Amino acid sequence: MAGEIGDGAPDLWPAGWYPPEVLTTAQTPAELRAWLWSGLDARIRSFAWWASASESEGFLLLYHQSVAQLGFWLSPGLRGRGWGKVALRRALTQLPNDANTVVLAEIAKENTVANRTARAGGMRLIADQAHRTIFCLDRP
């Protein structure tokens, strides 16, 4: 793993794609495990990209390929440093090369940090609704 938190920015953290089931059984924070289970649907083909800041903290992106949706999560101990946008930008450049030309992220309106992260990570705002915002990533 990458060593102590703070040794380097997210663009230096080891990262890769995993079947989501690997992360739900790994020794990760309980909040992450709960978030993963709430976001997974057995009917949807999903992949997880994990950038590891340490043994138990990092950045996670879930890519639900069959519906072209994604979700992202940053360990609580890493928040407030601007690393979420760096890790998201890196994760988005490593999405699988598939037939999806648009990828969507739906974010709760009150989650201002995630909304800023999506915008700073390279996603474009396409809908600003009462309880949610929807961002997209246009892919060639």
Side-chain angles (χ1 to χ4, degrees):
M1 294 298 170
E4 292 300 314
I5 295 169
D7 282 354
D11 56 344
L12 300 176
W13 298 346
W17 288 98
Y18 301 91
E21 297 76 20
V22 170
L23 293 174
T24 58
T25 58
Q27 296 301 312
T28 55
E31 183 181 341
L32 170 59
R33 199 167 21 258
W35 182 82
L36 266 169
W37 280 117
S38 70
L40 295 177
D41 183 333
R43 299 167 296 176
I44 298 173
R45 187 171 176 200
S46 299
F47 300 92
W49 184 86
W50 172 254
S52 179
S54 71
E55 288 291 331
S56 62
E57 294 198 276
F59 178 89
L60 176 73
L61 179 129
L62 281 181
Y63 179 48
H64 305 297
Q65 189 174 40
S66 57
V67 292
Q69 284 186 329
L70 56 86
F72 51 90
W73 180 91
L74 182 67
S75 295
L78 302 176
R79 295 176 188 166
R81 302 177 192 191
W83 286 358
K85 63 185 173 193
V86 177
L88 177 61
R89 196 176 306 124
R90 181 177 172 213
L92 293 175
T93 65
Q94 296 181 17
L95 284 172
N97 185 16
D98 55 24
N100 293 325
T101 57
V102 175
V103 178
L104 300 175
E106 180 181 314
I107 301 173
K109 186 78 163 199
E110 68 271 6
N111 191 344
T112 56
V113 174
N115 279 282
R116 283 195 313 265
T117 300
R119 190 181 309 262
M123 301 196 77
R124 181 171 52 92
L125 177 68
I126 59 170
D128 190 355
Q129 300 172 341
H131 300 290
R132 66 182 180 171
T133 52
I134 301 172
F135 290 86
C136 81
L137 175 70
D138 298 306
R139 300 174 71 196

